[in-house]
Amino acid sequence: AGLYLNQRDLPKEVWMRPGADQPLDFQPLLSAPDDESYLYVDIWDRVVTVFEGDDEGHSPLFDPALHGADTCFRKQRMVQIKAAKKEDLSEEKDPCRPAFDPSRIPQSGDAEIEIEIVDAVDTGNECDPCADDVTIERAVTNYLFRIETHRVEFDENRRPVAIWLKWSNDNGSRELRQDDMAAEADPTGHSYEYFSNASEQLLGMPSDDWVATENLTGILDPAIPANVVTALPRIREWDGWCQLSLEAGSWKFVDGRHAGSPLNSPGSTVRKAEISGGVLVLTIVDKKITLPLAGQNFLAGDYWLALVRRRAEENRRLQLLSATPIGVEHHYCILGAAKSNDENTVVGGLSPHDLRRLQHPSLTCLDAGDIGHQPDCGYLADIKKTVNVDEALEALCIKPAEFVPFDPKCEYLNKTGVGNVDEALEALCTKPAEFVPFEPKCDYLRSEQADTVAKALEALCKREANVQNLPKVIKTSWENDQPMRLKELFGGLELMFSNQSMVRNISTDTFSLTIELPLHISDNDPLFNAPLTTPQVVLGKVEGNSRGAVQFEP
């Protein structure tokens, strides 16, 4: 427990109430005997501003020579150990999924926002509903609008049941010191968030064993600011905020403010929050924000940005940087399964499946966006700068086939004189398969003299009853997942297939060997008193030997 609580990147506020000298009563990780939890590492980056300092507000980043100007952008990489449930893991039958189910512990939120510029109008006099509508002009025509997820509460299935949002036309960048609050604050035009260094370090999915969650985020527009400034010494300015709650399966508006006035105040047409069909529509002065809530993931720290240029052409006055959040992205790595009893907590090793999932993904798990692409095709180079296969395929998808050039190598297509993909497909579509030439590479199709597509398909169809002739492993000189001495490994390993074509085509592209070396930590460490292993890929060469088998030499 002591080692777990003394994490450098886990602030003490997780366990302490403001002003308290002793930690809250807690049972680290688990509260019931024989329950099982999973420890994992949450790795993410946070922004550090010049205002971040010690408990007295002194910042080593503040240079008096610059009069408080922040001249650079800084990030701190957070590495926090948290606890999760067994139900949070992805299904083991799918090796391509991440360690955690993305619907339960996502890397970031996935709600897609829409923001548009609207005419800002309001009644001329709130006390006179018959007064003429007037247009509200903004003093600032160019700004960076930010809307951010301030706080999220979850149910037992890790689904959001309460969400706090906050927004700013200044990218949420204005911060005040307590001493300057009285002179520089504008409570009639803004809302204020009281927060601390610790609350900035506790974004994302809360750990299952965290307590005092009311202390993990800042407080928006507190009724009595004097009650929070001691525990939350930093103050950030926002234009407004709102609180939403899931009640009886439907999202409801609870509270909120903009420019110092309550949302949905009588007579206001520019400070409204409406929810219909699980979709939030915020109208705040000159912007209309549409954000789906039902079925979406939200994490504290998610944010969206939009460039506003009121003097630009109508279709360029607002440029949304991304429909999905561009804020904090969390990366997870499972450490082990934890079990507790009345005396201590024991962290055991992971299953072989979980260990393999922590290695580099196999080729079958890669997405098209993971594979780099340098276009040499004139069309792809001209229409779009494609940096990966996904973008290249997307570019080809939106291009009509008759405009995609094609230089045929096939004798049949050469004779037809095709010059683009559309003509080639049309020529192949009208050509019977028995006239389309085919040059087989495998022994079976060569033996069947399958020199056309029709003959190849017919040969493969007849082979259905001879499935037992497909290549398979019939003998190995070792046993999978069993202990082995290094002397045996260095002597070479042998693998025999039922089909010699596998031996002829073997290479390190199709064959890899993984060993799991014991990881010794300390015999006296109660958290690691079970043997751990770490998987490693063995470098070496592989080739066919004189016995007709595959030989691996490390």
Side-chain angles (χ1 to χ4, degrees):
L3 293 175
Y4 181 71
L5 296 183
N6 290 327
Q7 297 179 57
R8 175 180 175 180
D9 290 332
L10 189 64
K12 65 181 180 180
E13 280 78 358
V14 174
W15 308 107
M16 302 284 287
R17 292 190 188 278
D21 296 326
Q22 298 295 325
L24 298 168
D25 294 332
F26 67 93
Q27 168 65 47
L29 306 181
L30 301 160
S31 58
D34 301 324
D35 282 347
E36 187 174 56
S37 183
Y38 280 81
L39 288 181
Y40 68 97
V41 179
D42 181 0
I43 303 174
W44 54 283
D45 294 334
R46 72 180 188 91
V47 175
V48 178
T49 71
V50 71
F51 296 98
E52 188 161 320
D54 56 25
D55 294 338
E56 285 76 34
H58 304 299
S59 172
L61 304 177
F62 178 81
D63 189 343
L66 301 175
H67 302 287
D70 202 349
T71 59
C72 66
F73 182 82
R74 312 168 191 83
K75 279 189 174 183
Q76 179 187 16
R77 177 148 296 174
M78 308 296 295
V79 181
Q80 298 172 329
I81 300 177
K82 299 180 179 179
K85 300 181 179 69
K86 187 174 183 179
E87 294 81 8
D88 296 324
L89 297 178
S90 295
E91 294 183 11
E92 290 196 358
K93 62 174 113 176
D94 187 352
C96 297
R97 298 197 68 180
F100 290 117
D101 185 341
S103 67
R104 294 182 64 92
I105 302 185
Q107 291 185 271
S108 62
D110 57 9
E112 296 191 5
I113 200 170
E114 295 180 11
I115 308 177
E116 58 181 310
I117 295 290
V118 296
D119 292 330
V121 296
D122 202 356
T123 56
N125 185 340
E126 289 189 357
C127 298
D128 181 8
C130 298
D132 293 335
D133 286 352
V134 296
T135 299
I136 300 176
E137 295 289 345
R138 282 195 54 83
V140 179
T141 59
N142 304 315
Y143 56 93
L144 180 60
F145 177 74
R146 179 190 187 106
I147 181 167
E148 181 173 330
T149 303
H150 171 74
R151 177 182 171 189
V152 184
E153 290 184 358
F154 300 91
D155 63 13
E156 64 277 3
N157 296 318
R158 298 200 191 279
R159 303 311 302 162
V161 293
I163 301 172
W164 285 256
L165 300 172
K166 53 193 178 185
W167 54 85
S168 166
N169 287 335
D170 301 314
N171 191 26
S173 61
R174 187 165 189 246
E175 187 170 335
L176 302 175
R177 294 180 174 85
Q178 294 182 25
D179 296 341
D180 301 327
M181 185 68 178
E184 298 184 18
D186 176 23
T188 62
H190 297 90
S191 296
Y192 292 90
E193 172 194 3
Y194 291 81
F195 67 106
S196 66
N197 294 348
S199 65
E200 295 286 275
Q201 299 171 3
L202 294 170
L203 303 179
M205 180 65 66
S207 177
D208 277 356
D209 58 324
W210 285 3
V211 294
T213 56
E214 66 272 17
N215 304 321
L216 305 187
T217 57
I219 298 177
L220 291 164
D221 270 359
I224 307 177
N227 291 346
V228 298
V229 294
T230 301
L232 303 171
R234 298 174 64 183
I235 306 169
R236 185 184 284 129
E237 185 176 85
W238 297 92
D239 288 340
W241 60 275
C242 69
Q243 179 185 352
L244 315 169
S245 178
L246 184 64
E247 301 175 6
S250 299
W251 283 96
K252 307 291 184 183
F253 170 77
V254 178
D255 194 9
R257 301 178 69 84
H258 180 81
S261 299
L263 292 175
N264 296 340
S265 56
S268 174
T269 62
V270 297
R271 293 183 294 271
K272 296 190 303 179
E274 303 169 300
I275 301 178
S276 177
V279 177
L280 168 69
V281 178
L282 273 174
T283 304
I284 46 178
V285 185
D286 58 346
K287 287 177 291 296
K288 179 182 177 182
I289 300 167
T290 305
L291 183 65
L293 304 174
Q296 304 299 308
N297 290 318
F298 289 86
L299 289 179
D302 291 344
Y303 65 85
W304 299 261
L305 293 177
L307 289 168
V308 179
R309 302 292 184 261
R310 292 302 301 258
R311 305 295 186 193
E313 298 87 352
E314 184 173 353
N315 62 345
R316 299 185 59 195
R317 290 179 183 173
L318 188 143
Q319 301 174 45
L320 183 64
L321 270 61
S322 173
T324 54
I326 59 175
V328 178
E329 184 175 7
H330 297 261
H331 302 272
Y332 308 115
C333 179
I334 298 180
L335 295 178
K339 285 192 175 183
S340 73
N341 51 42
D342 294 336
E343 297 179 354
N344 55 27
T345 299
V346 176
V347 179
L350 297 175
S351 68
H353 171 79
D354 286 331
L355 284 174
R356 293 190 182 97
R357 237 188 335 198
L358 299 180
Q359 301 178 53
H360 292 291
S362 65
L363 291 178
T364 56
C365 295
L366 293 177
D367 293 326
D370 299 325
I371 303 172
H373 172 67
Q374 175 119 17
D376 52 11
C377 163
Y379 163 66
L380 287 178
D382 292 340
I383 192 173
K384 187 176 182 180
K385 186 178 180 182
T386 53
V387 299
N388 57 49
V389 172
D390 183 65
E391 293 180 352
L393 293 175
E394 182 67 22
L396 290 172
C397 176
I398 63 176
K399 186 72 173 176
E402 65 263 27
F403 296 114
V404 180
F406 176 66
D407 184 13
K409 303 296 187 296
C410 163
E411 180 180 355
Y412 163 68
L413 289 179
N414 269 325
K415 289 179 180 179
T416 60
V418 301
N420 58 57
V421 171
D422 184 70
E423 294 174 351
L425 291 175
E426 184 65 26
L428 290 173
C429 178
T430 59
K431 187 72 173 176
E434 63 213 57
F435 296 111
V436 180
F438 173 71
E439 185 177 347
K441 301 295 189 299
C442 79
D443 294 338
Y444 170 69
L445 290 179
R446 276 203 296 263
S447 67
E448 293 291 318
Q449 298 180 344
D451 55 359
T452 68
V453 171
K455 289 181 180 179
L457 292 174
E458 186 67 24
L460 290 173
C461 179
K462 292 189 302 182
R463 198 184 187 202
E464 183 176 2
N466 298 319
V467 175
Q468 66 272 16
N469 293 329
L470 294 176
K472 59 183 178 181
V473 176
I474 59 175
K475 184 179 180 181
T476 60
S477 64
W478 78 95
E479 294 186 55
N480 281 328
D481 293 325
Q482 294 300 314
M484 174 186 290
R485 294 184 178 275
L486 291 177
K487 179 179 178 181
E488 299 175 38
L489 173 62
F490 293 144
L493 303 177
E494 190 176 78
L495 179 70
M496 188 167 290
F497 289 96
S498 61
N499 192 311
Q500 285 299 300
S501 63
M502 291 296 296
V503 179
R504 289 193 298 270
N505 296 314
I506 202 73
S507 73
T508 53
D509 293 329
T510 57
F511 181 93
S512 65
L513 183 75
T514 302
I515 63 172
E516 298 175 355
L517 298 175
L519 177 63
H520 181 74
I521 297 181
S522 173
D523 295 333
N524 300 321
D525 193 334
L527 294 181
F528 296 96
N529 60 4
L532 300 177
T533 60
T534 174
Q536 304 288 337
V537 175
V538 181
L539 298 179
K541 63 179 182 177
V542 59
E543 58 187 1
N545 60 22
S546 59
R547 299 181 61 251
V550 172
Q551 184 76 19
F552 177 81
E553 298 289 346

